[in-house]
Amino acid sequence: MSNSTIYKFDGAVLWLNGTSLAGSINEIELPEISWDAIEHETIALIGTPEFANKLEALECTITWASYSPEMAEAAANAFKAVNLQLRASMGEYTVNGKTADRSLKIDLTGRCLSNSMGTFSPGEMERESMFKIDFISERWNNQEVLAIGINPPIYRVKGQDLLAGMRRNLGG
C-alpha cells in the first residue's frame, strides 16, 4: 500500500492591502509562470535545446462576487501597486485519512491595468479586474517555495537565490 500524501483545497480568502475580501471573490486566476526560451543550434547536436531566458508577463484576473468603493479605488489607479494575498487551507490526506491542515499563501504585488466596469442584470453583477504582477511568492506553512520579482530581479526557489551569479557579474 502506498504511503503518498495528497493535498486537497478546502477554501481560500483573498486579502487586498491587508483587508479581507471574504465573500467578495467568485474566482481568482493566478499568474502562469512561463519563460521565453532561447534556442541553441549547432551542427554537432541532433536536436535544438532551449534555455529559459526572460519571464513572460505575469497576470492575475479577479472575478468579483461583490464590489465596494475600496475595491473600485484599488482597481482605478493604474500607477499605484496593490498588495494581494491569497490565503488557502489545504487538507493533507494519507491512506489513514486527513492528517493535517496546511496553509498556502500566495503574495502578489501589482497594478490593475484592465478593469471591466461590469455587466449588470436583474439581481446580478459580473465584473473582472486584471492585474500585471511585479512580485509573486508562494509559501507552504510559512516556508517559501518560490519568489519572483521583476524589478528588482528576484528568483528564489526554496530559499536558493538563482540570480545571485547574474547580479554579481553585473556589479550588483
Side-chain angles (χ1 to χ4, degrees):
M1 193 184 288
S2 174
N3 195 20
S4 63
T5 303
I6 297 170
Y7 295 92
K8 299 292 284 177
F9 171 71
D10 290 332
V13 173
L14 185 68
W15 293 68
L16 170 66
N17 293 329
T19 300
S20 171
L21 299 179
S24 297
I25 308 297
N26 273 343
E27 180 177 83
I28 180 167
E29 184 180 334
L30 295 172
E32 177 180 338
I33 298 172
S34 178
W35 294 87
D36 181 37
I38 54 173
E39 295 181 348
H40 179 74
E41 291 187 65
T42 71
I43 60 172
L45 299 176
I46 63 169
T48 305
E50 292 185 342
F51 302 98
N53 184 31
K54 298 279 185 186
L55 191 62
E56 300 280 343
L58 300 172
E59 298 178 354
C60 172
T61 302
I62 297 172
T63 304
W64 303 97
S66 73
Y67 212 64
S68 70
E70 295 78 21
M71 293 175 216
E73 180 183 347
N77 190 344
F79 301 118
K80 184 177 180 186
V82 297
N83 295 310
L84 300 168
Q85 183 180 71
L86 181 70
R87 297 181 188 177
S89 182
M90 306 294 285
E92 180 182 273
Y93 295 85
T94 66
V95 68
N96 297 318
K98 188 171 187 177
T99 56
D101 289 306
R102 302 293 181 193
S103 72
L104 169 62
K105 290 181 184 172
I106 298 177
D107 288 297
L108 306 131
T109 302
R111 295 163 322 286
C112 186
L113 295 186
S114 175
N115 189 27
S116 163
M117 297 305 286
T119 303
F120 294 81
S121 59
E124 292 184 22
M125 181 264 319
E126 186 174 307
R127 190 167 183 164
E128 282 188 353
S129 300
M130 189 273 293
F131 294 81
K132 291 290 186 174
I133 302 301
D134 297 314
F135 176 82
I136 184 170
S137 73
E138 179 177 358
R139 291 178 289 156
W140 284 81
N141 293 325
N142 292 320
Q143 297 295 312
E144 183 183 85
V145 175
L146 172 69
I148 294 176
I150 304 302
N151 187 16
I154 298 168
Y155 188 27
R156 290 189 306 265
V157 176
K158 288 193 79 179
Q160 181 183 3
D161 185 350
L162 300 177
L163 298 181
M166 179 191 77
R167 282 193 303 279
R168 183 178 55 251
N169 292 340
L170 298 176

